[in-house]
Amino acid sequence: MKSLSKQLLLGLLALTLTGVGPAVAEAKTITLLNVSYDPTRELYAAVNKAFTEDWKKKTGDDVVINQSHGGSGKQARAVIDGLDADVVTLALAYDIDAIAERGNLLPKTWQKRLPNNSTPYTSTIVFLVRKGNPKGLKVWEDLIKPGVSIVVPNPKTSGGARWAYLAAYGAALKANNNDDAKAREYIAKLYKNVPVLDSGARGATTTFVQRGIGDVLLAWENEAILSEKELGAGQFEIVYPSVSILAEPPVSVVDRIASKKGTTAVAEAYLKFLYTPEGQEIEAANYYRPRNADVQAKYASQFPTLKLFTIDDTFGGWQKAQKTHFADGGVFDQIYSPK
Amino acid sequence: MNKIKRWKSWRAIVLGFVAVTLGGFRNKAWSEDVSPPQSLDQRVSILERKLEVNAEDSAAKAKETASVTANAKDGFQIQSADKSYILKLRLLIQADSRFFTSDPAGNLTNAFLIRRARPILEGTVFGYTNFLITPDFASNGKTVLYDAYFDVAPWTFAKLRVGKFKPPIGLEHLQSDPYLIFSERGLPSDLVPSRDTGVQLFGDLFNGTLSYAAAFTNGVGDNNVNTTATAPVTSDTDNNDGKEGTGRIVLKPFKNTEISTLQGLGVGLGGSYAKQASVTPNLVTPGQIAIFTAAAAAVSDGQHTRLAPELSWYYHSLGFFGEYVRSSQVWRVGSVRSTITDTAGQIAGSYVLTGEDASYTGVKPRQPFDPKTGTWGAFEITGRVQELYLDPDNFSKGITTAATSIQRATAYGVGVNWYLNNNVRFATNYDQTTFDKGATSGDRPNEKIVISRWQLLF
């Protein structure tokens, strides 16, 4: 009698060779490039860690997410000029619109694809001042007093700086019955008090926090909280002006690049992760205002309630604001000259 | 008197007190005009930060800004920050004198001439597509397009060349004009095509120890730049359906070894095959005098093959090369076809007296010519022996006649090259050539010629 075990062994070998046996798929490694704006380094370090673990659990595949950070406008230009971003997470919708229109890399309707106009988190512009607020800066009008030195980045290159400019301009409009001439006069005086214009938000934070320059930093709220709690613990205070702007940094898949690289599914899942409770929790923990109501409630003490106006209501949207204020020859060019 | 003295003392004390007090007020007022130290710190910090920001901006702009340079090696150059786009404008001017030391028939002309006047426009686009255009304004008063091609070169081992270029055959022929050790190429270059139009695949393998090239072109006569005529040339298209395939392999087996004496050793073999019609060879002496004229009834019509083994060796100041070319062409006189095989060979050598390295790509003087500092550039002596032998069937089959063509040319040459710097060179050489046939009666008189050249290249 032929050995049964030999027959079984041969049979198993045959099954394995024909692939009928249990298949063991090899785990893939997928690489994404997230091109983001300047101050989101810590946020996406935490998001990426959580997402890659989550994706590995769900699919068994490894995801490597590379980050690029810089001024939002510069980042958008880099993508248009050939930087192969799978996703962009920039400071303002105008910069992603530019990628859609000039780079033809994603549809012009990109903002409708994810909830809240593709903005999983929001922020605003606040004052970061020295401990004790020695210059007594409480409201926007205080910033144009003689002797006040303001640190803010260059709105030509920094998305955060454009939010800060519009926050100041909008506040001036609100305070002066929407008188544009008075708002313009205000913004001119404000920028006269700016000694150094950094190219990005993180650079401005460096100027204020590490170099000790200026009395007040007009910063993203998240950047201000980070500076107060971690970068210069005990040295600074945050002043929330009575009114500020609702800053909505958007996100999008860069369709043509993701499609070329075969990463569309992962890229879409990555951005959707930002809306999940876990993603929202990470954003709040990194000082970005979450959209999720439950997470908002949990972090209510970290994010004071304040009166926020939107760019659509006050300026007619980004296209109009960009053309009026930040395009070559716009209001900013007219009121600011380098010292 | 005592009262007056006491009053004067009190007056002095009061005046002194007033002076000190006023001085104190002035000092206080002066110190009030000076900014407090904290403000000075702020100003210094602001200035330092502005410098940092400006440096960051400049560094960022430098990554995007094109640069314009002018130097000996690259000529005038515009280059993008990432070097993906480069445009170079260079120039080659060769001003010669040709003086025959013997002219028994009185039909040779001593002359100064512009041998080459070539602006060279070359560059790179998209990082790995390189182009080159070289017209020549000194071809018998006409403008000739010598080179016009571009290379798609994504890899060193495989590049595609398209346009008009030197087909890959003939060691000295393939050497760049400004780097020749004699003013005119040797007789083997008479039997290889000068320029042709088509495509070529080429590359370097195994760390440069093996180079290859394979071209598919229109097919031109020996030493010609196009298919239709010798000189002046008229067009760069073809006059028949026959095309030519040319290939060459060069081995430098010791290039990457520790054997320094053999690192500069190269052996190679080139070959070509075509079926051509109506192509005419352009055979000339070292003095550039034509020594072959086809009979009116003779037409090249059929297979044309070439074989060209070569050897080169460079070791420090010593340079040596040898090559042999065999060119077999089917000619037709009336209805009679004959395969005519012409051959040529040369051995040449050079030695750089001033110690610089001899090289296939030119001698680079260590110290340029500058009498003020007592430096004189580099000096090189050269020598060669060469021969061109035409198939006797050329004459017996009516391809040509003894009156209009030589059968054998044997030449000896010596020369001196003075490299003033990387851009300017003076060369003078003497070639003496003896002939069999090539005259109405007897042999063509010897050619004894001194060719001198001033060359500017950048």
Side-chain angles (χ1 to χ4, degrees):
Chain A
M1 189 165 104
K2 271 197 181 162
S3 160
L4 182 60
S5 56
K6 206 185 243 181
Q7 286 175 347
L8 282 172
L9 185 64
L10 284 168
L12 186 60
L13 190 63
L15 277 173
T16 308
L17 287 171
T18 57
V20 174
V24 177
E26 275 189 31
K28 287 186 295 187
T29 301
I30 303 140
T31 305
L32 295 183
L33 174 62
N34 175 3
V35 171
S36 190
Y37 60 112
D38 211 14
T40 57
R41 288 169 177 77
E42 293 80 10
L43 169 65
Y44 282 104
V47 164
N48 294 350
K49 183 171 183 292
F51 175 75
T52 53
E53 284 169 4
D54 183 66
W55 188 259
K56 177 83 177 175
K57 267 189 224 144
K58 283 183 181 151
T59 67
D61 291 334
D62 295 310
V63 180
V64 174
I65 305 177
N66 295 317
Q67 289 293 134
S68 167
H69 292 276
S72 186
K74 282 170 69 172
Q75 293 288 73
R77 275 194 294 280
V79 174
I80 293 166
D81 290 342
L83 182 59
D84 272 353
D86 300 88
V87 301
V88 284
T89 55
L90 297 180
L92 50 144
Y94 180 83
D95 290 334
I96 301 185
D97 282 337
I99 297 173
E101 274 175 48
R102 283 160 46 200
N104 206 24
L105 296 169
L106 59 151
K108 292 186 177 108
T109 54
W110 63 272
Q111 204 162 11
K112 301 280 177 259
R113 302 192 292 189
L114 288 170
N116 302 114
N117 277 334
S118 290
T119 56
Y121 46 82
T122 67
S123 191
T124 185
I125 301 297
V126 301
F127 306 167
L128 183 71
V129 299
R130 308 276 170 204
K131 186 75 179 172
N133 196 0
K135 294 281 176 85
L137 307 172
K138 294 197 178 67
V139 293
W140 289 100
E141 288 76 14
D142 291 336
L143 302 185
I144 60 171
K145 286 180 183 168
V148 173
S149 178
I150 306 168
V151 175
V152 67
N154 189 338
K156 292 288 219 179
T157 52
S158 163
R162 276 178 273 180
W163 286 115
Y165 172 106
L166 293 173
Y169 202 100
L173 283 172
K174 304 284 179 221
N176 289 283
N177 247 349
N178 285 324
D179 186 332
D180 198 69
K182 287 213 164 86
R184 201 173 148 136
E185 193 185 322
Y186 169 82
I187 204 76
K189 286 180 182 170
L190 185 142
Y191 275 89
K192 275 199 168 56
N193 283 352
V194 175
V196 180
L197 273 183
D198 282 277
S199 61
R202 187 49 57 92
T205 303
T206 300
T207 298
F208 184 76
V209 169
Q210 290 171 7
R211 301 288 187 274
I213 295 170
D215 302 307
V216 56
L217 170 67
L218 296 183
W220 290 101
E221 179 184 36
N222 55 278
E223 194 79 340
I225 300 174
L226 181 74
S227 301
E228 187 205 23
K229 288 196 171 164
E230 297 178 31
L231 299 179
Q235 297 174 40
F236 308 103
E237 292 174 9
I238 297 176
V239 173
Y240 283 87
S242 55
V243 63
S244 192
I245 196 166
L246 177 65
E248 297 179 288
V251 302
S252 178
V253 173
V254 184
D255 296 55
R256 283 184 67 181
I257 293 169
S259 172
K260 184 181 78 173
K261 290 164 75 178
T263 56
T264 304
V266 183
E268 284 175 352
Y270 176 66
L271 294 184
K272 283 178 183 163
F273 180 80
L274 295 171
Y275 290 87
T276 62
E278 188 184 356
Q280 292 279 295
E281 182 83 35
I282 293 171
E283 288 146 32
N286 280 276
Y287 319 123
Y288 293 80
R289 293 185 175 228
R291 293 287 196 185
N292 181 294
D294 293 333
V295 180
Q296 278 177 4
K298 184 177 171 186
Y299 284 84
S301 59
Q302 180 171 281
F303 301 113
T305 306
L306 59 161
K307 210 189 283 182
L308 298 173
F309 54 85
T310 66
I311 189 167
D312 287 339
D313 293 340
T314 306
F315 296 97
W318 267 114
Q319 292 290 338
K320 196 172 170 198
Q322 174 71 23
K323 192 176 172 186
T324 305
H325 294 277
F326 308 118
D328 288 343
V331 174
F332 179 73
D333 282 344
Q334 294 168 39
I335 58 102
Y336 178 78
S337 52
K339 291 182 189 134
Chain B
M1 189 59 98
N2 282 341
K3 274 189 185 171
I4 292 171
K5 274 191 185 170
R6 275 201 294 272
W7 183 82
K8 279 185 180 174
S9 298
W10 276 112
R11 189 179 69 177
I13 291 168
V14 168
L15 282 174
F17 178 75
V18 168
V20 166
T21 306
L22 282 175
F25 274 126
R26 271 203 306 278
N27 284 338
K28 188 176 177 188
W30 177 80
S31 65
E32 275 173 352
D33 289 338
V34 173
S35 301
Q38 189 176 3
S39 180
L40 274 172
D41 279 347
Q42 272 287 290
R43 288 180 191 176
V44 168
S45 296
I46 288 168
L47 282 170
E48 284 173 349
R49 184 61 184 154
K50 276 184 176 173
L51 286 171
E52 281 176 16
V53 170
N54 285 342
E56 285 164 15
D57 285 346
S58 297
K61 274 184 193 151
K63 287 181 189 169
E64 300 162 5
T65 305
S67 61
V68 179
T69 56
N71 57 56
K73 179 173 163 285
D74 298 314
F76 297 96
Q77 179 172 290
I78 302 172
Q79 178 176 286
S80 65
D82 63 358
K83 297 182 187 175
S84 293
Y85 294 85
I86 303 173
L87 184 67
K88 290 187 203 176
L89 178 61
R90 298 167 60 226
L91 183 68
L92 172 65
I93 299 179
Q94 293 175 337
D96 285 10
S97 66
R98 289 182 193 158
F99 281 79
F100 295 92
T101 64
S102 170
D103 185 11
N107 58 357
L108 300 171
T109 305
N110 298 326
F112 294 100
L113 61 137
I114 299 295
R115 179 66 175 91
R116 292 179 178 93
R118 297 184 185 178
I120 303 164
L121 189 66
E122 59 180 328
T124 300
V125 295
F126 284 112
Y128 56 78
T129 303
N130 309 313
F131 63 89
L132 182 135
I133 298 175
T134 307
D136 187 271
F137 299 129
S139 291
N140 294 318
K142 303 260 178 185
T143 300
V144 175
L145 184 64
Y146 266 81
D147 297 289
Y149 63 80
F150 67 91
D151 297 339
V152 180
W155 309 289
T156 55
F157 62 84
K159 308 175 207 178
L160 184 70
R161 175 167 292 178
V162 182
K164 188 175 183 186
F165 49 87
K166 289 185 186 177
I169 186 166
L171 174 63
E172 193 184 28
H173 169 67
L174 290 168
Q175 190 173 20
S176 258
D177 300 317
Y179 306 139
L180 301 172
I181 59 171
F182 276 81
S183 295
E184 298 296 344
R185 290 183 171 83
L187 294 167
S189 292
D190 277 357
L191 297 183
V192 298
S194 175
R195 299 291 193 282
D196 206 349
T197 307
V199 299
Q200 174 176 290
L201 182 68
F202 64 107
D204 298 316
L205 301 167
F206 309 122
N207 279 334
T209 54
L210 173 66
S211 301
Y212 75 93
F216 185 64
T217 56
N218 283 333
V220 298
D222 293 339
N223 199 22
N224 265 322
V225 297
N226 82 342
T227 57
T228 60
T230 52
V233 298
T234 55
S235 77
D236 292 310
T237 117
D238 208 346
N239 59 7
N240 62 88
D241 289 341
K243 297 291 173 276
E244 182 163 61
T246 313
R248 178 174 180 245
I249 289 180
V250 177
L251 276 166
K252 292 183 180 175
F254 302 100
K255 181 174 183 244
N256 302 315
T257 68
E258 301 292 321
I259 311 171
S260 58
T261 46
L262 297 179
Q263 282 170 352
L265 177 69
V267 293
L269 179 66
S272 70
Y273 175 85
K275 276 202 173 157
Q276 291 172 329
S278 305
V279 292
T280 312
N282 179 30
L283 309 183
V284 295
T285 66
Q288 302 301 290
I289 307 293
I291 47 175
F292 176 87
T293 305
V299 173
S300 59
D301 187 6
Q303 188 171 283
H304 185 181
T305 60
R306 298 185 185 93
L307 200 63
E310 60 181 68
L311 175 87
S312 64
W313 176 62
Y314 294 91
Y315 179 63
H316 295 318
S317 300
L318 197 58
F320 164 86
F321 70 88
E323 59 177 338
Y324 175 82
V325 180
R326 178 188 166 94
S327 174
S328 292
Q329 168 78 64
V330 172
W331 285 84
R332 179 171 54 79
V333 178
S335 59
V336 176
R337 288 173 190 277
S338 312
T339 299
I340 304 296
T341 299
D342 302 328
T343 59
Q346 73 167 323
I347 296 172
S350 65
Y351 182 72
V352 186
L353 297 166
T354 40
E356 287 87 345
D357 286 345
S359 168
Y360 188 73
T361 54
V363 174
K364 310 279 185 292
R366 276 198 213 102
Q367 291 171 315
F369 168 68
D370 186 354
K372 289 179 203 160
T373 58
T375 56
W376 300 96
F379 289 89
E380 178 185 47
I381 54 173
T382 62
R384 68 180 172 189
V385 57
Q386 50 179 329
E387 182 171 280
L388 170 69
Y389 180 73
L390 301 190
D391 193 331
D393 284 349
N394 273 297
F395 306 93
S396 61
K397 304 289 184 188
I399 313 301
T400 185
T401 67
T404 59
S405 301
I406 58 97
Q407 186 180 0
R408 186 194 303 268
T410 306
Y412 303 87
V414 291
V416 175
N417 295 320
W418 176 26
Y419 301 87
L420 283 76
N421 49 51
N422 286 340
N423 303 107
V424 179
R425 168 183 149 186
F426 174 73
T428 188
N429 54 259
Y430 172 78
D431 277 286
Q432 178 168 310
T433 311
T434 58
F435 304 98
D436 291 347
K437 296 192 172 68
T440 312
S441 68
D443 298 327
R444 184 189 176 90
N446 294 351
E447 180 184 89
K448 298 177 187 176
I449 185 169
V450 175
I451 302 176
S452 298
R453 170 172 295 168
W454 280 99
Q455 173 178 289
L456 170 69
L457 170 72
F458 67 83

